């Protein structure tokens, strides 16, 4: 290499190094760019949430137990959720609480409100929710001379949790939460959120009560129970009238019994139930038997349901949360679980009385659910799954265009002359389904098997004789258990929650004739 060429190369390298150094210095001296504006967590895919909200809002995946099917995104600040666009602020544990989930300080009496979106104050500012209002009430109403310490009311709740998730999360974190008293607030859909209740770890589109995933998924209810806005105020699961609801109450009873024993043994903490729907009383009374003290159960005041954000949102507004909190406070005072002066509670406004748990009967449950009004069939019209009289007739596992989850249950009416069940199902062309089978059970008894990979893409029709009725209830419970399923690489992120949906096929028609 001659000297002239070497000189040009050296000059070029020197210039490049100088330019790089100058650029680096310029970059270092530049002010830090502003972070992206916080984006509302509406119907966004997870990658969109990350892109718009920033890396500090990465979605929360690691949960301690497969029964805890979701949490809010932790450490949210300034995010807007639900239809009302209220601020969704969470702590590091993925709970909607302005305090962290940590052990008690000395001199603190900790009341835990365990529940779902009602306790998490969905669609309301945190300070308007039941936990914040109850804390204010209890602190103000402590009887003179009582040495209770500083009262905390901590909400352990996430929108979409069912009973299994609620109890599992509390059990895993008992050493941190250290409750002195647990009030478990339960609604009908804490048993009705079907797929997560059965399998855990799947907050999929089979969960229907929030109406998040469209109007094709349905929960069994009498036509007379369907509201003007198309929402179902309660599902048939809560009635204790079909085999699936009996099964879920049995699972729930075992979970509750274990939690009560843990609380009593390690923390000397009472456990009480505060139900938002009366029919739940009957089911829990049946399964818990002698272990269940009905005086430890209350049903929330009727006024809670009269003060909501409808038609925008069915959750309580500030006044509805006040009635809920005041009902809890009165219940705790009447049962002498806390030394409260009820005269001081009167300062918090009008009071709608709670109902005693022992007052509800099976006859009332049957009347409330009107099982004679369940329609006989469902069908797919376009991309909507509908029933003959517009009532919702699927217990769980069907969603978005009639897609079946691996565990799908239909409750259909059995007419006096009914002799046959007819199912029409379409399976997608997918290698994982090639050797799969869908088992069909009627009232828990196997009646048929459908090969999933036999004619992919075509409608498979199965018609079988109906076995004799399993009970006097005029319903046929049809269960579709698939041993194979597929998923899609698309997820939903709604109001800080994430979920995915396993798919086993498409329900085209279900009928009993």
């Amino acid at each position: 290499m001659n000297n002239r060429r070497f000189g040009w190369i050296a000059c070029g390298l020197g210039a490049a190094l100088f330019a790089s150094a100058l650029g680096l210095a310029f970059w270092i001296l530049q002010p830090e760019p502003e972070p992206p504006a916080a984006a509302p967590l509406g119907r966004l895919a997870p990658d969109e949430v990350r892109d718009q909200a920033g890396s500090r809002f990465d979605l929360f995946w690691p949960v301690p137990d497969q029964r805890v099917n979701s949490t809010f995104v932790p450490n949210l600040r300034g995010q807007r959720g639900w239809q009302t666009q209220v601020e969704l602020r969470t702590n590091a544990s993925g709970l909607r609480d302005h305090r962290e989930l940590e052990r008690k300080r000395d001199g603190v009496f900790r009341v835990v409100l365990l529940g779902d979106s009602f306790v998490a104050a969905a669609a309301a500012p945190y300070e308007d929710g039941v936990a914040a209002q109850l804390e204010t009430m209890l602190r103000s109403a402590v009887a003179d001379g009582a040495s209770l310490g500083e009262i905390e009311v901590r909400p352990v709740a996430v929108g979409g949790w069912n009973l299994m998730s609620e109890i599992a999360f509390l059990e895993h974190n008992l050493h941190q939460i250290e409750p002195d008293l647990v009030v478990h607030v339960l609604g009908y859909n804490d048993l009705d959120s079907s797929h997560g209740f059965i399998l855990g770890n799947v907050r999929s589109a089979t969960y229907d009560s929030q109406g998040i995933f469209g109007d094709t998924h349905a929960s069994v209810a009498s036509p007379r129970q369907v509201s003007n806005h198309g929402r179902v105020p309660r599902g048939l699961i809560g009635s204790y009238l079909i085999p699936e609801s009996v099964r879920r109450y049995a699972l729930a009873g075992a979970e509750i019994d274990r939690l009560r024993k843990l609380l009593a043994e390690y923390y000397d903490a009472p456990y009480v139930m505060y139900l938002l729907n009366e029919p739940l009383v009957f089911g829990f009374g049946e399964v818990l038997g002698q272990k269940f003290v009905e005086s430890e159960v209350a049903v929330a005041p009727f006024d809670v349901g009269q003060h909501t954000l409808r038609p925008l949102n069915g959750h309580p507004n500030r006044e509805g949360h006040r009635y809920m909190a005041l009902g809890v406070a009165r219940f705790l005072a009447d049962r002498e679980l806390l030394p409260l002066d009820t005269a001081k509670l009167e300062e918090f406004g009008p009071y709608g009385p709670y109902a005693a748990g022992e007052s509800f009967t099976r006859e009332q449950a049957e009347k409330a659910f009107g099982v004679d009004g369940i329609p006989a069939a469902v069908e797919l019209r376009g991309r909507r799954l509908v029933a003959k009289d517009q009532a919702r007739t699927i217990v769980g596992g069907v969603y978005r265009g009639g897609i079946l989850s691996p565990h799908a249950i239909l409750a259909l009416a059995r007419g006096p002359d009914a002799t046959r069940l007819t199912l029409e199902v379409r399976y997608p062309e997918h290698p994982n389904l090639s050797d799969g089978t869908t088992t069909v059970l009627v009232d828990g008894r196997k009646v048929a098997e459908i090969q999933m990979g036999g004619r992919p893409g075509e409608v498979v029709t199965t018609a079988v004789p109906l076995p004799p009725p399993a009970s006097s209830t005029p319903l046929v419970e049809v269960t579709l258990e698939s041993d194979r399923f597929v998923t899609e690489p698309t997820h939903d992120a709604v109001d800080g929650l994430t979920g995915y949906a396993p798919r086993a096929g498409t329900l085209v028609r279900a009928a009993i004739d």
Side-chain angles (χ1 to χ4, degrees), residues 135-408:
E135 185 173 272
T136 300
M137 292 175 186
L138 297 183
R139 288 180 175 182
S140 300
V142 173
D144 294 337
S147 57
L148 198 58
E150 179 187 354
I151 297 179
E152 283 185 352
V153 177
R154 306 299 295 269
V156 177
V158 169
W161 269 2
N162 55 38
L163 180 140
M164 309 293 272
S165 298
E166 294 157 7
I167 291 180
F169 189 94
L170 179 59
E171 286 182 350
H172 276 289
N173 295 286
L174 275 176
H175 62 296
Q176 288 287 100
I177 300 174
E178 299 181 314
D180 294 293
L181 170 64
V182 173
V183 180
H184 199 166
V185 180
L186 289 165
Y188 75 91
N189 59 351
D190 288 336
L191 280 82
D192 211 13
S193 50
S194 56
H195 199 73
F197 191 96
I198 296 170
L199 300 180
N201 201 27
V202 183
R203 187 195 176 280
S204 72
T206 57
Y207 179 69
D208 68 311
S209 71
Q210 309 288 340
I212 287 175
F213 295 97
D215 53 11
T216 57
H217 174 54
S219 175
V220 173
S222 164
R224 72 186 71 170
Q225 298 293 348
V226 179
S227 70
N228 293 333
H229 301 290
R231 301 297 176 87
V232 180
R234 61 172 70 99
L236 191 67
I237 287 294
S239 69
Y240 203 75
L241 298 177
I242 60 175
E244 178 63 15
S245 67
V246 174
R247 176 176 180 266
R248 293 193 197 187
Y249 270 112
L251 289 172
E255 295 291 316
I256 289 171
D257 189 47
R258 188 179 69 250
L259 174 61
R260 291 174 64 187
K261 290 177 179 176
L262 287 174
L263 292 171
E265 180 178 356
Y266 291 98
Y267 300 98
D268 193 26
Y271 168 94
V272 295
M273 299 170 69
Y274 191 72
L275 307 180
L276 299 175
N277 309 94
E278 285 185 327
L280 295 175
V281 173
F282 173 76
F284 284 123
E286 289 281 330
V287 301
L288 292 174
Q290 298 302 314
K291 307 172 187 175
F292 183 73
V293 181
E294 291 182 325
S295 62
E296 297 176 357
V297 179
V299 180
F302 175 79
D303 302 83
V304 173
Q306 304 305 301
H307 297 277
T308 68
L309 295 166
R310 287 192 180 95
L312 186 62
N313 188 284
H315 287 90
N317 57 20
R318 177 177 175 81
E319 186 69 354
H321 282 294
R322 185 189 68 81
Y323 273 106
M324 197 189 320
L326 200 50
V328 172
R330 291 274 188 167
F331 176 54
L332 298 179
D334 293 345
R335 296 297 187 267
E336 298 182 347
L337 293 170
L338 287 179
L340 302 178
D341 186 340
T342 54
K344 294 181 180 179
L345 290 175
E346 294 177 1
E347 300 174 4
F348 290 94
Y351 165 62
Y354 64 86
E358 57 267 24
S359 63
F360 204 73
T361 65
R362 182 187 179 95
E363 289 73 23
Q364 287 174 290
E366 291 180 339
K367 181 179 179 181
F369 283 91
V371 294
D372 57 345
I374 297 294
V378 294
E379 59 184 328
L380 192 65
R381 297 177 188 168
R383 294 297 294 170
R384 295 190 61 183
L385 189 70
V386 297
K388 286 185 176 179
D389 59 2
Q390 302 304 306
R392 297 183 170 194
T393 62
I394 308 301
V395 173
V398 179
Y399 53 92
R400 276 191 179 174
I403 303 298
L404 291 168
S405 74
H407 184 93

